Amino acid sequence: MHFNTSQATICGRSRDDFLAEIDKFHGWRAPGLVLGGFMVDWAQELIETDMGPDIEADAIVETYHCLPDAIQIFTPCTIGNGWLKILDWDKFALSLYNKKNLNGFRVWLDLDKAKAFPNLYNWYMRLVPKKQLPLEILNQTIFEAGRSALSSRAIRATRLYKPKKKGRTDACPGCGEAYPVSQGSQCLTCQGQGYYNLK
Amino acid sequence: MHFNTSQATICGRSRDDFLAEIDKFHGWRAPGLVLGGFMVDWAQELIETDMGPDIEADAIVETYHCLPDAIQIFTPCTIGNGWLKILDWDKFALSLYNKKNLNGFRVWLDLDKAKAFPNLYNWYMRLVPKKQLPLEILNQTIFEAGRSALSSRAIRATRLYKPKKKGRTDACPGCGEAYPVSQGSQCLTCQGQGYYNLK
């Protein structure tokens, strides 16, 4: 399917490559991830315009839904390498910031602007049942909207920017596995917080 | 560099492809991610042997360090699509489980077994400075060890297996952005928990 879009490339990719990478990593063309791609694209451009190319930028996203994957696909930041942090806040916003001086940009879904794109607004605010808004139609609206449904602002990160550090590790006297001794005399699973039963 | 390894393929890839995918996604050949690849490989094989092919498996990892990326590279589960959950426990363990019946397998770094591979044990327990243990040497040890430094156990997931649900969303009266009303009369940033200053 051909999408009209407000820009020629997104995150340096053609529309087809952009969608193919979303499909491959995420499993389907989630509209939140398509919109998230436009957010990453804009944040990257703002950083490059403000600070020049080759800035190493870390990322913070404010929801677990879709946006972490936009960062992981289209930037070097991943949850496992520590350059991406995730807040479980269900706000559709992300920030990229220069890891050296903590200056960067936050980009978010702007509800007032999104109202000009009823499919987008109604999807995000869940005002129409999913069945009434086919994915391809919704994604077409997102491509048409692009940055027009977003806002951005220069920020300076004030917390969350430090790497997660491991504390002292020892063998848990309960299970024998390595665990951080800061958690107490046993690991959290042996303290009863495990997520599984043994079979 | 050529690695000797205990198995011909890891996660269905040749050693070179396995390492190339780690490089591409994670930015470098982190030893935790190389070892994590062997853990995913074993968990996938256990599920397939026990339940047959084509089982849709969700994932839980017990640390933010490296293991989330092993899952994201080598399975369809990502943090953004919700099929991967991450516990901030700093235990080097992961579980894959059938999302239909919650049965699966947990694989973990077994400290007693790891002692047979001093580079691996000393790296994980941080008993030698990083400079004294070059990355290529450490990864070679990990390839030689493979499953020999791991243990596995059949489990049944008892929590964390449900998809994260969004609650009712409304515009925050403070910033105007969409937020989950369950958080209170304003969003968490407007309540003072933000991670940035505006510039």
Side-chain angles (χ1 to χ4, degrees):
Chain A
M1 173 161 188
H2 184 76
F3 288 110
N4 291 311
T5 178
S6 47
Q7 36 188 105
T9 64
I10 314 105
C11 298
R13 279 101 170 148
S14 70
R15 288 163 293 177
D16 287 349
D17 289 349
F18 174 76
L19 288 167
E21 287 189 63
I22 288 173
D23 272 336
K24 182 168 185 292
F25 186 70
H26 192 79
W28 65 293
R29 299 175 180 195
L33 187 39
V34 176
L35 186 56
F38 280 92
M39 294 165 71
V40 171
D41 179 74
W42 197 12
Q44 285 177 323
E45 185 181 303
L46 287 166
I47 285 196
E48 185 168 336
T49 304
D50 192 53
M51 305 182 218
D54 306 321
I55 297 295
E56 288 199 346
D58 279 2
I60 296 173
V61 299
E62 300 179 26
T63 177
Y64 273 90
H65 294 284
C66 293
L67 285 189
D69 285 1
I71 294 287
Q72 295 186 115
I73 298 170
F74 300 118
T75 82
C77 307
T78 74
I79 192 69
N81 69 20
W83 304 338
L84 164 66
K85 304 270 178 27
I86 306 173
L87 290 165
D88 192 12
W89 286 8
D90 265 341
K91 293 193 79 178
F92 212 74
L94 58 82
S95 296
L96 290 181
Y97 61 93
N98 181 333
K99 66 174 88 187
K100 295 225 171 84
N101 65 19
L102 307 183
N103 292 321
F105 292 89
R106 181 173 180 264
V107 176
W108 68 93
L109 173 64
D110 187 315
L111 287 183
D112 283 336
K113 295 181 183 176
K115 282 175 186 158
F117 305 93
N119 287 341
L120 170 51
Y121 185 82
N122 291 337
W123 156 72
Y124 192 80
M125 299 302 281
R126 286 178 297 164
L127 301 176
V128 284
K130 278 187 184 174
K131 283 182 186 166
Q132 283 178 35
L133 188 51
L135 181 63
E136 293 285 293
I137 303 292
L138 173 55
N139 278 342
Q140 173 127 19
T141 299
I142 291 171
F143 270 92
E144 287 162 4
R147 294 181 189 175
S148 308
L150 307 173
S151 284
S152 69
R153 181 89 193 240
I155 58 145
R156 184 163 197 278
T158 54
R159 62 184 191 90
L160 294 178
Y161 52 80
K162 288 187 185 156
K164 276 182 183 282
K165 287 278 178 203
K166 282 195 212 172
R168 194 163 70 82
T169 296
D170 208 343
C172 170
C175 61
E177 298 177 30
Y179 85 114
V181 294
S182 61
Q183 291 177 359
S185 59
Q186 290 192 308
C187 78
L188 292 175
T189 298
C190 290
Q191 289 180 39
Q193 296 186 41
Y195 59 85
Y196 52 85
N197 288 330
L198 298 175
K199 285 179 65 185
Chain B
M1 171 157 189
H2 184 74
F3 289 111
N4 291 312
T5 177
S6 48
Q7 34 188 106
T9 63
I10 314 106
C11 299
R13 278 104 170 146
S14 70
R15 288 164 292 174
D16 287 348
D17 288 350
F18 174 76
L19 287 167
E21 288 188 63
I22 287 173
D23 271 334
K24 182 168 185 288
F25 186 68
H26 192 77
W28 65 292
R29 299 175 180 195
L33 188 39
V34 175
L35 186 57
F38 280 92
M39 294 166 71
V40 171
D41 179 74
W42 196 11
Q44 285 177 324
E45 184 181 302
L46 287 165
I47 286 196
E48 185 167 338
T49 303
D50 192 55
M51 304 182 215
D54 306 322
I55 297 294
E56 288 198 344
D58 280 1
I60 295 174
V61 299
E62 299 179 27
T63 177
Y64 272 90
H65 293 284
C66 292
L67 286 189
D69 286 1
I71 294 289
Q72 295 188 115
I73 297 169
F74 300 117
T75 82
C77 307
T78 73
I79 191 68
N81 70 21
W83 303 338
L84 164 65
K85 304 272 178 25
I86 306 172
L87 290 165
D88 191 12
W89 286 6
D90 265 339
K91 292 192 78 178
F92 212 74
L94 58 82
S95 296
L96 290 181
Y97 61 92
N98 181 334
K99 68 173 88 188
K100 295 224 170 83
N101 65 18
L102 307 183
N103 292 321
F105 292 89
R106 180 172 181 266
V107 176
W108 67 95
L109 174 64
D110 187 316
L111 287 184
D112 283 335
K113 295 181 183 176
K115 283 176 185 158
F117 305 93
N119 287 342
L120 170 50
Y121 185 81
N122 291 338
W123 157 71
Y124 191 80
M125 299 303 281
R126 286 178 297 166
L127 301 176
V128 284
K130 277 187 184 174
K131 283 182 186 168
Q132 283 179 33
L133 189 51
L135 181 63
E136 293 286 291
I137 303 291
L138 173 56
N139 279 341
Q140 173 128 17
T141 300
I142 292 172
F143 270 93
E144 286 162 4
R147 295 180 189 175
S148 308
L150 308 173
S151 283
S152 70
R153 182 86 194 243
I155 58 145
R156 184 163 197 279
T158 54
R159 61 183 190 91
L160 294 178
Y161 52 80
K162 287 187 185 156
K164 277 182 181 281
K165 286 280 179 200
K166 281 195 215 174
R168 194 163 70 81
T169 296
D170 209 344
C172 170
C175 61
E177 298 178 30
Y179 85 114
V181 295
S182 62
Q183 292 177 358
S185 60
Q186 288 191 308
C187 78
L188 292 175
T189 298
C190 290
Q191 289 179 39
Q193 296 185 40
Y195 59 86
Y196 53 84
N197 288 329
L198 297 176
K199 286 179 64 187

